[in-house]
Amino acid sequence: MPEDSVKVAVRVRPFNQREKDRQAKLIIKMQGKMTMIINPDGNNEDPKKFSFDYSYWSHDGYLEEDGLLVPRPGSNYASQRNVFGDLGQGVLDNAFEGYNCSLFAYGQTGSGKSYSMVGYGANKGIVPITCDELFKTMDANTDPNKRFEVTFSMLEIYNEQVRDLLSKDNPKGGLTVRQNPKLGMFYVENLKRVPVGSYEEIEKRTEQGTASRTVASTNMNATSSRAHTVVTITFDQIIKNEVGSETKKSSVMNLVDLAGSERADSTGATGDRLKEGANINKSLSALGNVISALADLSMGKKKIVVPYRDSVLTKLLQNALGGNSKTVMIAALSPADINYDETLGTLRYADRAKKIKNQAVINENPLDKMIRELKEENDRLKRALDGGGVIGGGDVTMSPEDQMQMRKKMEEEIRAQLMANQQLLTDNTQNWDQKLTEARHETDAITQADHREMSKKKTMPHMVNLNEDPMLSGVVFHFLEQGDTTIGRKDASPQPKICLSGLSIQKQHAVIYNTNNGVDIEPVGNHGAKTKVNGLPLAGRKQLCHKDRILFGSNHLYVFMNPLKPETDVDLPAQITWEFAQKEIAQAKGFATGSAGMTKEQQIAQEQILEILPMVSEVNAVSEELNKQKNFEVVLISAAAQEGQGGQKGTSRSKDAARVMVKMKNLLNGNTWLWERGKFMNRRYLIQEMYQRYLDGEDVSHIKKEDDPFWEPTEDVLIGTANVFLQSLAFGLDFDDKVVITDYKAQEEGFLFVNVTPCTQSGKPFDEEYFVESPNELLQKPYHFKVTIQSADINKPRFSKGVRIKYKDYKGELVETPMISGTLQPEFKHSKIISFSEVTQEHLTFFEKGNIAFLVYGVQEDTVPDRRLLKLSTRELRQMEQMGNMADNGRRGTIFGNDAAVSEQSHLKTEIVLLQRKYERLAQKEKRMQQLCDEWSKKQPDQQQFEPFLRSVSAVANSSGTRLKTRVQLLNQVSEEKDDDIISLYVFGEEESALAEEADQNAGLIEYNKVAKHHFEYDKPAMPRQNTFIKSRSFDSDSLGSVDLEPFMKTPSDRENNNKPRNRNKNGLNASQRQPRARSMGDSAAQNGGQNGRVTKSNGKDKEGSSACVMQ
C-alpha cells in the first residue's frame, strides 16, 4: 500500500494593531519553501531554518479591493485563494476520489489560524471555499447514474468534553466517545449529522454552531482559545453500474481548528502540584506526543506505542494522523519579536508533523454488501445481548462482583454498537430526499429568524455580544422592546426576559427601561449584582448611549446599540472590539495600557497583566460563589525580589525582567502564596472544571484538600526586601544602618540591621582613618568587604514563627541565614566576606550603581481562625480586606514594585524617614517635658522640691528615647489579636531603662497601662507622598488589584537619569569630601540627636546601634 506524507504549510500574518503601536520587530523570513526565524536577543546568532511543503508569506505586500486582500503587483503575498489552490483544492480532489481528508490548523492564539481556516468578511478561508467548490462541482455533474449525499456536523472539545454545536441538548459531561470494535476507529455517540444540499445551508449551520459556541463559552466561563473545533463533512457518491447495483464511494473530510498552542512550560506551570490533573493544553500535549511517535515510526523505529487514547482529540484524529487519510497541516505564525518563543515552538511542532506517513485508501463498497454485513453484525450483537452480554467465555477466576461489572460494561458497549449500526442502516436505506427536506425545514427556520433579527437591528435598541475570539463576536443579540426588560437567571421567579447564566449572575440582576426619553439601566435591589458600564461599576440608574459597553457578571460582555439615537462619543472607534472593552475595564481599575517608551520586557509584562486581569476577577467570583475564603490579586514582582530567577535558556526573556504573578490570600488567617502566571492559569482551568461540576449538581464542598485547586500547603512567604546600596564602598567607607524592609507594594514591613564594611582578607575592619578620595585608586588592587546581618525588626506578629534572610553575592550565588523563630526581633549574627582579587571598572560600577537585595522570608502556619470570621461569607471577607487596605494605605490594595525608580526612591526615602523619625522623637520628647512640668505644677507646695524636679526633667532632656511597642484595643475589631492593634511610642526619663528591659522579656511588647502617659498626640509635618506614582481608584468588588503601569515603564533616558551617580552617602554627606572616618549612618544619626539610638539595660543612655522598635 503506498505511503503518503502529511503535507505541512506555514503562514505568517501581518502585524496586528498592538504590535504596530509598539513598533514590533519582524522575526520571520521566507525564501521559497524555507522559513527562517531570527532570535531578537540572539546577538548576531544565525537564523534557525525550517523547510516545509509550503511557506506562505502573508505579512505584507497586499492591496485591499472592496475588502478583499489581493497581492500587490510584484509581491510574494499569499492570498486566501493561493492557499486554497495549494491545500483546499487537494482536499477537494481527494474527496471526489474517495479518500478521507483532514486539514488542521495549529498555532498560538491570535496567530491567524481561524483566518486561514474560516476567514473574515470577503476573505473567505479554506473551509468555506472548499464547501462552495464542492457544491459547484456537484451541480456540474451530468452523469444520471451518479448522485451525491453530503452531511455536516460540528463539535467542540473543551476541557476533554465534547459538545455538539448543532444541538441544543448536550448531556452533562459531554457526549461519549466510543470505539468501533470492528473498524478500530473512534466516533462520537449521538452526534447530530445534518444533510445539506448547498453551500448556503452549510454557511447557516456554521453560523448556528458559532452562536452555540459563544453562548456556551460565556456561560461556562470557558476561553474559546482553549477549545478545539472540528467540522466534519461526509461526502458520499452513489454510483449505479450497468446491472443496476449501487456502489458507495465515501469520503470523510475533517476540518480542525485547534486551540491556541501557548507553551505551558514557558508560563511557569511546571512546578504546580496539580499540573497533571489540569486539562490545559492536554489535548495539544497528547497530539504532540502522537505526532512524535508517528514520526519515529515513519523513520523506522520499532516498538513505538502511539498514545491515541491519551485525549479525546487524538482519539478522533487517529484516522487523520496515522491511518486512512490524506492529511494537511497549516501552522500559523506570529511575526513579532515578543512572540519569539511561541513561534519557534510552532515551527518545531510542524517540523515533526511533516515526517508522518499515512496509508490512504479509496473508501468504495457495494451498497448491498454493506447493508447485508451491517444486518449480520446486528444479529450477532443481539444474540450476545440475549445471552447476558458476554461474547465468548468469561474468566472463571473473577469474583461475582467483577463478573457482574464486566457483564454490565459489555452490555453497554453492545447496545452502543447496535445503535451505531442501526443509524448506519437508516442512513443507507432511508430516502435521501426525505432526509434533506426535513433538514431544510430546520435550516429555513434559522434563516427566517436571521431575517427578522436583521430588520430589528435597524429599528430597535439592542445589545450585541463581544468575545475575545473575533469569530464569536456579534453573533448573540438581545432586543430591548418598549417597557422594562429584566435580566437574570432562568431559575428566577418570574423568569427574566433575558436569561443569562454563569459567574456572578444573580437571579434578578438588572433591569433595562426603554421609554420615549431613552434607554436606562439599573441594578436590581441590594443583592450585590455586578454590572459595569464602560468599565465602571453600576451603582444606580444610568442612561445608556449608543455604543456603551456593558458587562454583566464576570463574562457577559455586550455593546449597546441604539439605531434611533446613533450619536456617540467622537473618540470611540468605529467598531467596538472585545480588546477595547477589556482595556477600558483595566484602565478603570488603574492600569495604564499605553506602550510608548516601554522596553520589550515591560511590553510582555503589560500584555500578561491585561490578559490575566479578567481571569483573576473570574476566579475571585468562583471563590465567592463556592465560599472558598480566598482572595486573588495581580502583582508584579521586581527582579530584585525574585529568588533564583533568571532568563530561561533558549528564551528571549531577560533575567532582569519583572515577573507577573498572582497572590492568593487566605482571608481567615492571612497566609499568602505567590503563584507564577502559568501556575495560576493552570489552577484557573481546574477551578473552572470544579465550578462546572458544581453547576452540574455535584457536591464539591467535601473534596480532599489535596485535590482542591484553592488549597495550597503552607510555605515560607516573602515578607519583603531590603536594599543596601554600595556607593560607600567605593570611598572606603562602611555602611551601618537599619534598612527598611518593604513588600511588593512598597509598604514598610520592618527593618533589617545591616553592616557592609571594607576589611582585610581575614575580615578585620580597617581603622577609622582609612579613606579613599577617588574610587579609581582601588583599580587593580585586591579588595575585601564584609556583609554582616545583625538582626531584624519585623512588624507583623504572625511572622514570629520564623524569619530567615536570603541574598545573592557579587557572583550571583545565593546566601542564606539560619531560620530564627519565636521572636519578631531575630538576631542573625551572620557575616560573609566578599573578595575581589583585583578591582576592575566593572567592580567600581557595581559599587556605584549596584546594590545587595536582602530577601526576608517568614514562616507561615495553618493557624485556627477566629470563630467570628468563620461566620462571614467570602464576599464579606473580601470586602473587609479591601476596606482594611484602603484604611491602611489610603489607596488601592495591589501596587506593583517600581524596579526602574527603586534606587532613587530608596536614597530619598532614607533621608526623609531620618528627618521624620527625628521630628517624631523630638515632638514626643517636648510633650513629655510639658507633661512633667504640668505634673509638678499641680503638686502641693511642700512637694515641689527643686532637686527631684531637676532630676526628672534632666533625665528626659538627656535621654535619646527608647521606642517601645504596646497593644491597644481598637474599636470595631473582629479578631482578638490583629497586627493593627499594635502601636509604638517613645519612652523618655528615669523609668526608660526598666521598661525597655521588661519589653525585652515580653517578646518586645509592654503593657499599655505602664506607658499610657507617654502616648501623645502631636501634629505631624506635612510630608510628601512617598508613592506618588500610585493612582487611587474607587472600590471595585470584582478585583482588589489596581495598578498604573505607566510610571514603571520608563524610557532608557529616564533610567539613565535614575542611575546617575550620587556622590552622597546615606547620611547625606558628600562622600568626596575629606573628613574623619564616619563609622556609618547609624552612628552619625546617634551623634546628631540619637534618632536611631538604643538605650542599654545598664544606664539607659549608651548607644548600641539602631533601635529595633518601629511604628506599625
Side-chain angles (χ1 to χ4, degrees):
M1 190 180 295
E3 291 184 329
D4 190 13
S5 296
V6 171
K7 282 187 169 55
V8 178
V10 295
R11 189 181 191 189
V12 60
R13 62 163 172 80
F15 285 137
N16 59 33
Q17 192 57 50
R18 286 199 314 274
E19 291 162 349
K20 290 177 182 177
D21 292 343
R22 69 167 64 97
Q23 298 179 339
K25 296 177 182 177
L26 180 64
I27 58 171
I28 297 293
K29 288 184 178 181
M30 290 181 175
Q31 292 179 358
K33 295 183 178 183
M34 183 179 292
T35 296
M36 293 165 281
I37 183 168
I38 303 163
N39 186 347
D41 299 325
N43 296 324
N44 299 320
E45 174 187 318
D46 290 337
K48 294 179 174 62
K49 299 178 180 180
F50 300 87
S51 181
F52 301 102
D53 294 288
Y54 303 98
S55 289
Y56 293 117
W57 181 263
S58 299
H59 178 71
D60 57 16
Y62 57 87
L63 300 172
E64 187 171 349
E65 297 178 357
D66 297 327
L68 186 67
L69 302 183
V70 297
R72 184 184 292 121
S75 76
N76 58 345
Y77 176 77
S79 67
Q80 295 283 64
R81 267 289 167 183
N82 295 141
V83 176
F84 169 77
D86 292 333
L87 305 181
Q89 188 64 52
V91 170
L92 194 61
D93 293 343
N94 289 328
F96 273 96
E97 292 178 26
Y99 291 105
N100 291 335
C101 308
S102 297
L103 172 64
F104 59 98
Y106 179 88
Q108 72 177 108
T109 302
S111 61
K113 299 188 307 295
S114 296
Y115 179 78
S116 292
M117 291 291 286
V118 182
Y120 302 132
N123 299 282
K124 296 185 182 299
I126 297 173
V127 175
I129 296 177
T130 300
C131 294
D132 191 22
E133 294 295 328
L134 174 68
F135 283 102
K136 284 181 180 178
T137 307
M138 288 166 49
D139 292 341
N141 175 56
T142 57
D143 186 349
N145 294 320
K146 183 185 289 188
R147 59 187 175 89
F148 305 99
E149 296 177 0
V150 181
T151 59
F152 177 88
S153 67
M154 189 174 183
L155 63 84
E156 179 180 66
I157 303 170
Y158 181 81
N159 217 11
E160 287 299 284
Q161 295 185 5
V162 179
R163 291 187 60 255
D164 188 345
L165 296 177
L166 300 183
S167 175
K168 293 182 180 179
D169 300 318
N170 278 280
K172 291 180 179 179
L175 299 176
T176 304
V177 177
R178 297 191 183 277
Q179 186 175 23
N180 185 315
K182 184 176 180 181
L183 302 177
M185 296 189 310
F186 292 91
Y187 65 95
V188 180
E189 188 177 36
N190 297 325
L191 181 66
K192 186 173 182 178
R193 294 173 175 83
V194 180
V196 288
S198 66
Y199 166 65
E200 288 73 19
E201 291 173 36
I202 285 184
E203 198 171 36
K204 285 298 175 189
R205 291 295 182 173
T206 303
E207 291 173 2
Q208 177 192 358
T210 301
S212 179
R213 277 184 70 197
T214 304
V215 174
S217 69
T218 307
N219 291 345
M220 294 168 58
N221 320 302
T223 308
S224 63
S225 62
R226 295 292 181 185
H228 313 284
T229 306
V230 182
V231 171
T232 302
I233 299 170
T234 305
F235 174 51
D236 294 332
Q237 303 172 72
I238 294 89
I239 305 166
K240 185 181 293 185
N241 59 19
E242 296 80 0
V243 297
S245 61
E246 292 183 332
T247 299
K248 185 176 184 179
K249 188 184 287 186
S250 183
S251 172
V252 177
M253 290 183 281
N254 287 309
L255 307 168
V256 186
D257 190 358
L258 294 171
S261 62
E262 289 73 33
R263 301 191 315 157
D265 56 342
S266 71
T267 59
T270 49
D272 190 1
R273 65 183 177 85
L274 293 178
K275 182 176 186 290
E276 294 304 317
N279 288 323
I280 306 175
N281 272 340
K282 178 179 178 180
S283 294
L284 285 180
S285 298
L287 181 60
N289 294 336
V290 166
I291 287 175
S292 294
L294 289 171
D296 289 342
L297 280 175
S298 300
M299 296 173 68
K301 291 186 179 181
K302 306 295 184 182
K303 296 182 181 180
I304 300 293
V305 177
V306 184
Y308 291 116
R309 293 177 177 271
D310 284 0
S311 76
V312 169
L313 178 68
T314 49
K315 287 177 182 178
L316 297 180
L317 291 183
Q318 176 181 355
N319 216 35
L321 290 170
N324 176 23
S325 178
K326 288 184 176 287
T327 302
V328 177
M329 172 183 174
I330 181 165
L333 307 179
S334 298
D337 52 348
I338 199 171
N339 296 316
Y340 171 78
D341 297 327
E342 284 75 15
T343 302
L344 179 59
T346 299
L347 287 167
R348 287 172 172 164
Y349 201 98
D351 195 52
R352 289 203 306 272
K354 73 180 184 182
K355 298 172 184 175
I356 299 174
K357 296 184 185 298
N358 282 350
Q359 295 177 336
V361 297
I362 295 175
N363 303 303
E364 189 170 21
N365 288 296
L367 205 54
D368 293 340
K369 179 184 176 183
M370 188 188 304
I371 294 171
R372 184 177 68 253
E373 288 178 347
L374 283 171
K375 288 180 178 179
E376 291 173 355
E377 175 74 7
N378 275 1
D379 290 340
R380 188 176 70 86
L381 292 171
K382 286 177 182 177
R383 287 195 300 272
L385 200 59
D386 294 338
V390 179
I391 303 176
D395 188 347
V396 295
T397 63
M398 294 176 64
S399 66
E401 292 80 8
D402 290 340
Q403 288 183 10
M404 182 65 70
Q405 189 174 359
M406 186 189 77
R407 190 185 304 274
K408 186 177 179 181
K409 184 177 180 181
M410 292 187 70
E411 285 183 2
E412 183 183 342
E413 292 291 337
I414 291 170
R415 292 183 192 279
Q417 189 59 42
L418 272 170
M419 289 177 60
N421 287 350
Q422 191 59 46
Q423 183 63 48
L424 280 172
L425 275 172
T426 303
D427 291 343
N428 285 291
T429 56
Q430 186 180 354
N431 183 273
W432 170 256
D433 292 334
Q434 181 184 344
K435 291 192 292 185
L436 185 59
T437 301
E438 291 173 1
R440 280 177 168 169
H441 284 315
E442 189 177 331
T443 307
D444 289 342
I446 297 172
T447 304
Q448 290 171 9
D450 288 346
H451 287 324
R452 288 194 298 271
E453 214 170 64
M454 286 294 293
S455 61
K456 278 186 177 182
K457 281 192 265 186
K458 299 176 182 177
T459 58
M460 186 181 295
H462 58 276
M463 298 186 297
V464 58
N465 81 298
L466 292 177
N467 193 286
E468 65 172 325
D469 186 344
M471 294 295 299
L472 305 186
S473 284
V475 298
V476 177
F477 293 84
H478 293 299
F479 293 94
L480 309 173
E481 299 179 351
Q482 280 285 327
D484 300 353
T485 300
T486 53
I487 301 168
R489 297 205 309 257
K490 63 182 178 182
D491 59 344
S493 180
Q495 190 175 88
K497 293 182 180 179
I498 298 177
C499 292
L500 305 177
S501 61
L503 283 170
S504 303
I505 297 295
Q506 306 296 317
K507 286 187 176 181
Q508 302 291 344
H509 198 93
V511 181
I512 296 180
Y513 306 94
N514 185 359
T515 65
N516 294 330
N517 295 326
V519 180
D520 292 3
I521 185 171
E522 184 177 28
V524 174
N526 190 27
H527 303 297
K530 189 171 73 174
T531 306
K532 292 182 180 180
V533 177
N534 301 335
L536 299 174
L538 182 66
R541 186 159 175 163
K542 175 181 176 62
Q543 188 170 56
L544 292 174
C545 298
H546 185 58
K547 291 189 178 182
D548 274 351
R549 287 71 60 202
I550 310 171
L551 176 66
F552 298 107
S554 297
N555 302 289
H556 293 270
L557 186 56
Y558 294 91
V559 180
F560 170 71
M561 307 297 287
N562 191 349
L564 304 178
K565 294 182 178 180
E567 301 83 10
T568 188
D569 190 334
V570 294
D571 294 330
L572 287 177
Q575 182 178 5
I576 304 296
T577 62
W578 183 88
E579 186 181 48
F580 175 86
Q582 288 296 335
K583 279 189 174 182
E584 182 177 58
I585 292 171
Q587 287 171 344
K589 291 177 178 177
F591 289 88
T593 57
S595 58
M598 290 186 185
T599 65
K600 180 183 173 184
E601 286 74 24
Q602 291 161 349
Q603 291 170 9
I604 292 173
Q606 186 192 56
E607 282 218 343
Q608 290 178 350
I609 290 164
L610 295 178
E611 171 196 30
I612 214 169
L613 184 64
M615 299 181 190
V616 169
S617 297
E618 173 192 308
V619 171
N620 275 327
V622 177
S623 179
E624 286 187 7
E625 194 152 339
L626 300 184
N627 200 31
K628 288 295 184 178
Q629 292 104 21
K630 299 294 193 303
N631 180 66
F632 298 83
E633 53 182 321
V634 184
V635 297
L636 189 70
I637 303 299
S638 67
Q642 298 172 29
E643 176 193 338
Q645 299 295 346
Q648 296 180 4
K649 188 175 180 179
T651 73
S652 60
R653 195 72 192 269
S654 167
K655 66 180 180 180
D656 297 323
R659 190 174 294 268
V660 177
M661 303 184 83
V662 173
K663 174 184 170 185
M664 180 177 77
K665 182 172 184 178
N666 186 327
L667 296 172
L668 295 177
N669 60 20
N671 284 348
T672 61
W673 295 263
L674 283 177
W675 286 352
E676 297 276 354
R677 168 177 165 266
K679 180 174 180 177
F680 167 74
M681 295 177 77
N682 187 60
R683 290 298 180 90
R684 178 216 176 195
Y685 287 104
L686 287 171
I687 288 169
Q688 285 181 326
E689 189 177 355
M690 171 190 273
Y691 183 67
Q692 190 58 46
R693 299 203 312 268
Y694 165 76
L695 293 180
D696 291 343
E698 183 180 332
D699 183 7
V700 297
S701 60
H702 300 296
I703 63 174
K704 294 180 180 178
K705 64 181 183 180
E706 291 81 5
D707 298 329
D708 187 349
F710 285 96
W711 182 82
E712 194 81 333
T714 55
E715 59 187 30
D716 292 355
V717 65
L718 180 65
I719 300 173
T721 57
N723 294 300
V724 170
F725 296 90
L726 308 174
Q727 295 98 326
S728 60
L729 293 178
F731 297 93
L733 300 175
D734 65 351
F735 177 97
D736 189 6
D737 192 16
K738 67 173 185 180
V739 186
V740 65
I741 302 168
T742 57
D743 65 5
Y744 65 91
K745 301 177 183 180
Q747 291 183 338
E748 183 182 295
E749 292 288 345
F751 289 91
L752 187 66
F753 295 85
V754 181
N755 177 277
V756 180
T757 183
C759 64
T760 64
Q761 189 172 2
S762 62
K764 181 180 179 181
F766 295 126
D767 60 42
E768 301 216 357
E769 299 302 318
Y770 179 76
F771 179 73
V772 177
E773 185 168 352
S774 171
N776 290 331
E777 295 177 21
L778 300 175
L779 287 172
Q780 299 180 344
K781 296 178 182 178
Y783 194 90
H784 315 279
F785 64 93
K786 184 195 294 187
V787 177
T788 302
I789 303 175
Q790 299 163 347
S791 62
D793 187 358
I794 306 300
N795 289 352
K796 294 180 179 176
R798 73 186 186 92
F799 293 124
S800 64
K801 302 175 184 69
V803 179
R804 70 154 47 98
I805 312 295
K806 300 180 183 180
Y807 66 95
K808 289 182 181 180
D809 62 15
Y810 177 76
K811 296 179 181 178
E813 295 177 358
L814 193 65
V815 183
E816 188 173 328
T817 70
M819 180 72 73
I820 307 296
S821 58
T823 178
L824 290 175
Q825 298 172 329
E827 299 281 344
F828 297 104
K829 299 178 181 177
H830 161 90
S831 63
K832 178 180 174 62
I833 298 173
I834 299 174
S835 299
F836 302 144
S837 58
E838 186 176 290
V839 174
T840 64
Q841 189 61 49
E842 183 180 346
H843 294 135
L844 293 183
T845 303
F846 172 62
F847 290 154
E848 185 63 34
K849 298 183 179 181
N851 69 292
I852 297 178
F854 295 92
L855 281 64
V856 185
Y857 285 87
V859 172
Q860 296 187 117
E861 292 181 356
D862 252 338
T863 55
V864 178
D866 188 282
R867 290 183 178 180
R868 286 169 288 184
L869 292 179
L870 290 171
K871 297 178 181 179
L872 300 178
S873 69
T874 300
R875 183 177 181 83
E876 291 168 331
L877 290 169
R878 291 186 67 234
Q879 288 175 341
M880 284 181 57
E881 172 82 3
Q882 175 66 12
M883 296 303 179
N885 284 341
M886 295 175 70
D888 290 342
N889 307 333
R891 52 181 169 84
R892 294 298 306 270
T894 301
I895 307 301
F896 293 172
N898 185 351
D899 213 16
V902 65
S903 176
E904 186 74 12
Q905 286 186 4
S906 295
H907 285 292
L908 296 175
K909 186 176 179 181
T910 301
E911 295 174 12
I912 291 174
V913 169
L914 177 64
L915 294 172
Q916 187 177 17
R917 295 292 185 265
K918 187 175 181 179
Y919 172 84
E920 291 173 5
R921 185 187 62 79
L922 292 175
Q924 294 200 40
K925 188 174 185 177
E926 180 187 10
K927 289 282 187 180
R928 178 60 180 147
M929 294 185 73
Q930 290 174 352
Q931 185 186 59
L932 275 175
C933 293
D934 189 50
E935 289 174 358
W936 278 86
S937 68
K938 292 178 181 178
K939 288 186 177 184
Q940 296 298 324
D942 60 334
Q943 296 177 341
Q944 293 179 351
Q945 300 178 22
F946 177 74
E947 287 186 4
F949 170 69
L950 178 62
R951 188 168 58 249
S952 297
V953 173
S954 298
V956 174
N958 295 323
S959 170
S960 60
T962 298
R963 202 165 195 179
L964 301 178
K965 290 182 180 179
T966 186
R967 189 183 296 280
V968 298
Q969 184 67 38
L970 301 180
L971 296 177
N972 301 323
Q973 186 171 295
V974 177
S975 176
E976 291 296 332
E977 292 189 359
K978 285 186 64 175
D979 296 340
D980 50 1
D981 66 355
I982 292 179
I983 64 169
S984 60
L985 44 82
Y986 280 103
V987 174
F988 302 90
E990 296 171 306
E991 70 266 40
E992 170 180 351
S993 180
L995 289 173
E997 185 172 353
E998 184 176 342
D1000 286 341
Q1001 295 172 355
N1002 191 29
L1005 290 175
I1006 191 79
E1007 292 181 19
Y1008 180 73
N1009 61 343
K1010 295 182 179 180
V1011 291
K1013 63 183 179 181
H1014 296 275
H1015 191 185
F1016 304 109
E1017 295 293 332
Y1018 61 93
D1019 296 329
K1020 292 187 177 183
M1023 302 299 291
R1025 290 183 65 188
Q1026 295 178 11
N1027 295 304
T1028 55
F1029 52 88
I1030 304 303
K1031 287 190 175 182
S1032 178
R1033 298 284 176 180
S1034 60
F1035 174 60
D1036 180 359
S1037 63
D1038 76 325
S1039 172
L1040 301 187
S1042 178
V1043 180
D1044 179 8
L1045 274 180
E1046 193 67 34
F1048 311 120
M1049 309 310 188
K1050 299 202 172 186
T1051 62
S1053 60
D1054 293 333
R1055 284 190 297 277
E1056 279 184 23
N1057 292 333
N1058 278 343
N1059 291 326
K1060 282 182 179 178
R1062 290 173 53 85
N1063 294 322
R1064 187 174 290 272
N1065 202 4
K1066 281 288 192 175
N1067 55 13
L1069 296 175
N1070 192 314
S1072 63
Q1073 295 175 351
R1074 183 173 295 276
Q1075 55 190 356
R1077 178 168 173 75
R1079 284 307 307 157
S1080 70
M1081 178 182 170
D1083 290 336
S1084 301
Q1087 294 166 9
N1088 290 284
Q1091 189 269 340
N1092 287 323
R1094 178 183 297 171
V1095 181
T1096 65
K1097 297 177 184 177
S1098 58
N1099 58 17
K1101 296 184 177 61
D1102 294 338
K1103 314 300 182 293
E1104 290 181 341
S1106 301
S1107 170
C1109 298
V1110 296
M1111 180 74 75
Q1112 169 67 14

